[in-house]
Amino acid sequence: MENMKAVQVHNYGGPEVLRFEDALRPTPESGELLIKVHAASVNAIDWKARAGYLKDVFPLPLPYIPGWDVSGIVEAIGPGVTQFKKGDQVYVVPDGARSGKGTYAEYVVVKETEAALKPKSIDHIHAAAIPLVALTAWQALFEQAGLSKGQKVLIHGAAGGVGSIAVQLARWKGSHVIGTASGRNQALLRGLGVDEPIDYEKTRFENVVHDVDVVLDTLGGDTQNRSWKVLKKGGILVSIVAPPSAEEAANHSVRAAFMSVHPSSAQLSEIAKLIDAGKLKPVVETVLPLSDARRAHELNETGHARGKTVLKVG
């Protein structure tokens, strides 16, 4: 078997455990695509898994390759693949990352049912910044919350990876968008189309926000606890980071949901159409080579990134 360059985790720990080294190049099996990776983006789940915080939720076999986002070109197809051919440009959230064969590598194997043709109007760097955060935002707002035109939504961490996409999806849907971010990101929020930007360093959001239909919680903790009182009766809090309290939801006569993203070729195809139509734009703050994955994790782990950090692979 051939080798490839990849970033691997041999033991849980800080960013220093990320090793850029040789690994076996995967081979596509039935219904699978081999993708030559051009870019992979960094998400919070990457460093949480690396640190060992998630090992009880989905244990990964050590050593493993991190990464849940990829944009690249189909290098080869396995038996039975009908939707793609060699040379197609695709972007994907591969569920296979859960088994430790992620996207911080020169090649990755994904299921045909997880992939979609990449948006034509953007390059691989920007396409790689989209899949996980866009699917998370889409599924939280539309599948879980049922967000619709004219409703009010409060998006916490609106300048971050998921938040910045959620703002744009909510605007596309015709909702009234309230977003929280630090002072340095207020101009970004306005540029994304937030109707009511809130600087959390100066203002407690619960003092100025009332009667919202949906809260998208990307932060958890105290922010989640303070969010119950801003919802109207019958509203919903959707968290992507920590299961919200059913008791608190009942006390406030609202609903609560906790979600984890699932791969969807169909949704990625819809998202690509929105990008190509100019309705959705990825926010990329930092681009680093794959060999600099440690630095990428250090940046992402601060929790104050603007948009996405992307690893350039090929």
Side-chain angles (χ1 to χ4, degrees), residues 24 39 57 64 68 127 133 151 166-167 169 190 199 243-245 252 255 259 266 270 272 278 285 313:
L24 286 178
V57 183
Y64 77 88
W68 264 266
V133 293
Q151 288 191 317
V167 165
L169 288 175
R190 287 189 287 273
D199 178 355
S245 164
H252 290 87
R255 294 168 294 141
M259 64 149 285
E270 289 302 308
E285 182 174 42
V313 182

Side-chain angles (χ1 to χ4, degrees), residues 42-45 47 295-305 307 309:
V42 177
N43 297 283
I45 193 171
W47 64 261
R295 176 64 181 146
H297 273 225
E298 289 169 349
L299 290 171
N300 195 264
E301 223 166 318
T302 66
H304 296 293
T309 298

